[in-house]
Amino acid sequence: MRITASYKVSDTTAFKRKLLEWAQSFDEVVWFDSNGHRDRYYSFDTLLAVDALTSFQTDFINGFDNLKEYQSATKDWIFGYLTYDLKNDIERLSSGHTDRLKFPEIHFFQPKKVIRVKDKEVLFDYLNIVADEIQTDYEMFLSKHSYKTDIQLNNQSVKIKMGIFKDEYFRQVKKMLVHIHRGDIYEANFCQEFYAENTRIDALKTYQRLNSVSKAPFATFLKLHDKYLISASPERYLKKRGTKIISQPIKGTARRSDDIKTDRKLKLDLQESSKERAENIMIVDLVRNDLSKSARRGTVEVEELCGVYSFAQVHQMISTVVARVEPEKNIIEILKETFPMGSMTGAPKVSAMKIIERLEAFKRGLYSGSVGYIDPKGDFDFNVVIRSILYNDTEKYVSFPVGSAITALSNPESEYEECLLKARAMRDVLENG
């Protein structure tokens, strides 16, 4: 059972900063920040879960079935992640690359404390065993007390390495294009890794810096003991609200410009690009097919096709696909039937994933997976883990992969430049501190 209390705050910016700093005293933290972005499916400004009462982690073998049992047993808030390599639980696939980050393939926990911020209201949702701490916690957040993290490091010493160099990237993209031209696939998301070894970073400060420059709608800070996700994701994988499910795939990226006229032209060029629209539409078709596995017949529809939205550093082409599910439909089955998200695989999905595994040079793990929550009513919301820094403090390993969609119209040089554009914020934050 949970006890809920609501309070008003006048300065939500200061309150949120203290909230996230306070959360660092716990071993399990999931923080979501919408950064002021509000579409029709907006639910909160900030959502925080800390301090596990129970937790669940496993590898991919029967991963979704085991998650189903855990969610059914708790019937409460659970927060956590699904790694890309859960594809191996769904299809006859494998992951052969070295795992240098060592994240379990699924990890969820039932938090003792859930705190939501929306407008000027803060909602505390605490389990009974800690409910007497609500008032104390609230008063601490309003005080002038400053929270300090245990690790105080700067990132000046981070030396970024490339998983593959430019020539190798070109060779692999050309191999991908051979598969496309002979009809094996229509599109595939090809990714490369940037990384740093023997490196320690202050994860909280790194997140704060990345979030300040990116201001993404699905920004996430995840801490599970020694493992961290620092994410400026702009993309929603899947949301469930009642019997409605919503997916918002992104395909199509253009840089921003400080010059207003140039910026408008870049946005218009993206909107009118036949290549970018083709990429987006192919993934929309894949998402429609994925949702149809769970949906009531005739309820899958495209609410918006190839809308262009502007973020702090890039313009993005986003579509919205929705469907209706039966009330008794198992929520973990919905995730299983649509995972991994089409924007990070390609079409046809299984063929694309096989080719991706052969041509990429690293294990994706949590990158291109998803972080999210399931609430006590069975509603959920999950993002796409892109524009993200992954960090294992014990291994002293930092990783930030990036990728782009390869189609018949792709030019390797342009795709490479798109990857560098997507990597820029993360690289700047790590290298420049």
Side-chain angles (χ1 to χ4, degrees), residues 316-333:
Q316 299 275 200
M317 186 176 286
I318 306 174
S319 293
T320 299
V321 188
V322 301
R324 292 280 179 181
V325 297
E326 297 292 351
E328 64 273 14
K329 177 71 177 180
N330 184 274
I331 54 181
I332 305 303
E333 285 297 316

Side-chain angles (χ1 to χ4, degrees), residues 248-267:
Q248 296 179 297
I250 291 179
K251 271 287 163 272
T253 304
R255 66 179 179 87
R256 300 294 307 269
S257 172
D258 293 333
D259 179 76
I260 295 175
K261 288 184 178 179
T262 302
D263 194 59
R264 285 175 182 164
K265 186 176 187 305
L266 289 166
K267 184 175 182 178

Side-chain angles (χ1 to χ4, degrees), residues 84 185 187-188 345-357:
Y84 172 78
I185 52 174
E187 176 177 351
T345 57
K349 184 186 276 190
V350 175
S351 297
M353 288 190 289
K354 288 179 179 178
I355 294 167
I356 285 167
E357 182 66 28

Side-chain angles (χ1 to χ4, degrees), residues 189-229:
N189 193 285
F190 181 66
C191 303
Q192 59 178 308
E193 183 191 26
F194 295 82
Y195 66 95
E197 300 170 293
N198 300 314
T199 298
R200 298 189 74 206
I201 62 173
D202 185 323
L204 175 60
K205 286 186 176 181
T206 303
Y207 169 79
Q208 290 169 330
R209 286 192 286 261
L210 181 63
N211 193 51
S212 71
V213 297
S214 296
K215 298 180 174 63
F218 300 99
T220 304
F221 178 89
L222 176 143
K223 171 190 175 186
L224 293 171
H225 301 277
D226 62 342
K227 299 173 182 67
Y228 295 84
L229 170 71

Side-chain angles (χ1 to χ4, degrees), residues 363-379:
K363 180 174 179 176
R364 287 192 181 185
L366 184 50
Y367 172 73
S368 73
S370 182
V371 177
Y373 66 86
I374 302 172
D375 74 16
K377 297 184 299 182
D379 287 345

Side-chain angles (χ1 to χ4, degrees), residues 169-170 173-174 177 406 410-417:
Y169 176 89
F170 282 10
V173 170
K174 287 174 182 176
L177 287 169
I406 309 301
S410 290
N411 174 276
E413 181 75 41
S414 299
E415 300 299 336
Y416 188 76
E417 292 301 320

Side-chain angles (χ1 to χ4, degrees), residues 109-125:
F109 70 95
Q110 177 190 12
K112 295 176 186 175
K113 301 181 179 185
V114 177
I115 301 173
R116 282 168 283 175
V117 180
K118 186 174 182 180
D119 299 319
K120 298 289 185 178
E121 182 181 24
V122 181
L123 193 68
F124 291 77
D125 201 348

